[in-house]
Each structure stands twice: as C-alpha cells, then as structure tokens.
Amino acid sequence: MSNLDVKPAATECGGRDGVSGAPVRDLLAPRTVPLGESTVVRRLLPNLGRRMVGAWCFVDHYGPDDIATEPGMQVPPHPHIGLQTVSWLHEGEVLHRDSLGSEQTVRPRELGLMTSGRAIAHSEESPRDHARYLHGAQLWVALPDAHRHTAPAFEHHPRLPEITGGGGLHATVVLGELDGAASPGTTYTPIVGADLTLAPGTAARLPVQPDFEYAVLAMSGEAEVDGVRLAPGSMLYLGCGRRALPISADVSSSVMLLGGEPFEERLVMWWNFVGRSADDIARAREEWTNGTLFGEVHGYDGERLAAPELPPVPLKPRGRAR
Ligand code: MN
C-alpha cells in the first residue's frame, strides 16, 4: 500500500528516546486516512507521540469493508526505498505486481513480504472478481543501514508456523520469531509480527522477550490485553520489560502482536520512502519522477502515482539521544 497523502508530513523516527524500557499501557487512537475513492484506513503508526515499535514504522488497519459493488483497493504503481512491506489479510484478496515482474494474489493468512532494498515499485489492487469483504493490515518494517541498499525482493509465504498456546490462544507467526517458532519471511532486525486468534473465554499468558518493545493492534472482537479492552482499529503500546503478556477475550477476537528490538538508527520517513537524510529522500523522489532506478510495473490498468511536492523545510533525522 502507498501513503496517498497529497501533502505527506516528514516523520523523523528511530532512536531510543521514545522507547519505554518498562512495561506501559499506552492506548493509541487511529487517524483516519482516505485511500483512493472508496476506502479509508486507520493509521496507527506513525502516530502522535509514537513513531515506531521495534523496526515497525508504519501500521494501517482497514476494513472489514463491504466491497461487493466497489472496486476495492486500487493503489497505482508507486516506489519504495529503505523498508519492507507486509501485507496481511483476514478477508478478501490483494493482487500485487512489482517492478521485478512479480504478480501474486495474496489471500487471507498468507504473508506477502516485499523488500524494497535500494528501490522497488509496486501496485496493489483488489482483483476484478473479489470476495465481498476486505479486511487487513498494511505494515512497514524499516531496514537497518547495513541492509537498506540490498537488492529488492518479493516473497509469498502461504504457509506460516502456528502455535497453539494454552487458554484459548492460537498464534500464527507472520514475521520474525515467537516462542521458538520462526516465520520463513526474510528479516533484517530482531522482530516479531504475529496474528493472535482468541477463542471465546480466552485467558492466556503469551511468552514474550523483555528486550523487545511491543504493541498490539486490535483486528476484531473485544480482546483485553494486560487489562485494557481494545476496540478494533486501535493499538496498545506496551513498552519493553515483559516476559509474558496477559491476553483475554469473552468473545471471539483477534489481534496482531508487533514487536522487536528498539530501532536505534535515526530515520527520515517521507511519502513511501525511508532514508537517513533529506538527500536520500530528495534523490528517491527525483528518481521516481525523472529517473529509471525504480523500474516499471507492468499490467496495472491506470497511471502510476506522482510524487507529492517535498515540504519546504528540509527533512532532518533527529540526533541520537544518547
Ligand atoms: Mn506500497
């Protein structure tokens, strides 16, 4: 998915000053962002006061939307640098095409993982014949400096490890590692993304790592995480320092656990780019507008996205806090 803001704000993020070393329960409200003509998404990251959770730097939740008589998701070709995108669906399907020539329909509970590395372009659309409901999350992972110029790649993993915990909790490991089970998706930092399904009456304690920071994105139902009731489309930031996370639900519910080692490098995020400097961003924008670096996406019925104007104030990553 693309950031379709016409005037996207620059976000400076990374470093440790926003990281809570101790457990906290910080409820983040979503910001509603229009995506195309018929869709809105709820943006949880970046959020006022919270920009990253581990290497996770962008979190959108969308649906469930009834798109029976709608085109659904229609995101024209657009570029990325410096990140990975994770497509995760509960309902519906998304057709991914990219400048490597990939063409892949991603279905519910399958991982679509795109590593932009130095440069990639892609489009995402609901196929012409699509399911009635579309419900999912679009997530970005920042690449560390040592790997941000890596070759672009697209991975599709229809089978992912599952953990049946006690107390009614069932987990699918989408990315990274949870409780000894590892996703086949390529990662570049210590990270976890897991989809947690909670049966009615769930009362569980999920083992987690004290050196990771975590957040939980509520997908459906009425989960309670560490005593906080979560409405779908909201996110609870949990900080670091936990060995177990209490999760319960009276009714059938689902949440995504997002976590990782705090991301210490300073970043500049603007539009669909993650860089280290204003120059990185300006160069990427120039390449998308006039260059050939990103390549072509073939097969999308429509024009590619034009880059917005750069903001008038130079983009700067913030200095390291320690
Ligand atoms: Mn995208």
Side-chain angles (χ1 to χ4, degrees):
M1 193 170 302
S2 168
N3 186 344
L4 292 179
D5 276 4
V6 199
K7 283 188 179 172
T11 305
E12 300 151 350
C13 51
R16 285 208 69 109
D17 44 344
V19 177
S20 176
V24 293
R25 294 176 296 180
D26 185 4
L27 190 59
L28 305 178
R31 183 163 67 91
T32 302
V33 180
L35 187 72
E37 286 166 19
S38 61
T39 323
V40 296
V41 301
R42 287 166 291 284
R43 183 150 306 154
L44 284 312
L45 284 184
N47 198 306
L48 205 63
R50 176 69 44 203
R51 288 154 175 159
M52 295 182 82
V53 178
W56 299 100
C57 59
F58 184 96
V59 174
D60 273 354
H61 173 252
Y62 55 90
D65 290 324
D66 184 344
I67 58 167
T69 59
E70 308 266 353
M73 183 185 292
Q74 297 295 327
V75 183
H78 61 276
H80 287 290
I81 63 165
L83 55 82
Q84 294 177 290
T85 64
V86 172
S87 302
W88 186 248
L89 290 169
H90 277 194
E91 294 181 89
E93 54 280 292
V94 170
L95 172 59
H96 163 99
R97 303 176 204 264
D98 64 40
S99 49
L100 305 172
S102 316
E103 183 176 326
Q104 179 67 54
T105 301
V106 179
R107 300 179 190 283
R109 314 195 75 78
E110 300 178 351
L111 170 62
L113 175 64
M114 186 180 78
T115 301
S116 79
R118 69 179 84 94
I120 201 167
H122 72 150
S123 63
E124 292 159 294
E125 60 193 296
S126 299
R128 198 178 304 259
D129 292 320
H130 54 250
R132 176 167 188 179
Y133 290 102
L134 181 63
H135 180 204
Q138 178 70 16
L139 313 156
W140 294 358
V141 178
L143 289 171
D145 196 45
H147 296 284
R148 69 190 180 103
H149 300 296
T150 195
F154 179 75
E155 300 169 38
H156 177 233
H157 298 289
R159 292 172 63 86
L160 297 167
E162 310 216 347
I163 304 166
T164 298
L169 187 148
H170 185 89
T172 303
V173 186
V174 178
L175 195 68
E177 215 175 306
L178 180 67
D179 199 18
S183 161
T186 303
T187 57
Y188 295 90
T189 49
I191 196 167
V192 66
D195 190 281
L196 312 180
T197 300
L198 317 173
T202 290
R205 287 176 69 79
L206 183 70
V208 295
Q209 293 179 227
D211 56 333
F212 273 26
E213 61 174 342
Y214 290 97
V216 165
L217 168 66
M219 296 291 290
S220 63
E222 297 174 14
E224 242 180 63
V225 176
D226 201 11
V228 180
R229 173 76 60 93
L230 297 177
S234 62
M235 194 160 90
L236 184 67
Y237 177 71
L238 294 159
C240 306
R242 294 166 193 271
R243 294 185 182 278
L245 185 61
I247 300 180
S248 61
D250 294 333
V251 301
S252 182
S253 303
S254 62
V255 302
M256 287 194 82
L257 176 74
L258 303 174
E261 209 167 73
F263 196 88
E264 302 222 351
E265 296 169 20
R266 296 288 176 173
L267 306 175
V268 181
M269 278 178 64
W270 178 81
W271 195 39
N272 295 307
F273 304 139
V274 173
R276 297 298 185 278
S277 67
D279 272 2
D280 287 349
I281 301 295
R283 213 176 303 123
R285 185 189 179 284
E286 176 61 23
E287 275 292 344
W288 178 245
T289 305
N290 297 313
T292 56
L293 176 69
F294 289 97
E296 293 276 329
V297 180
H298 296 288
Y300 185 83
D301 183 16
E303 295 295 309
R304 66 187 208 147
L305 282 182
E309 292 299 319
L310 282 169
V313 186
L315 313 169
K316 277 185 191 159
R318 291 183 306 178
R320 210 172 256 278
R322 53 169 201 175

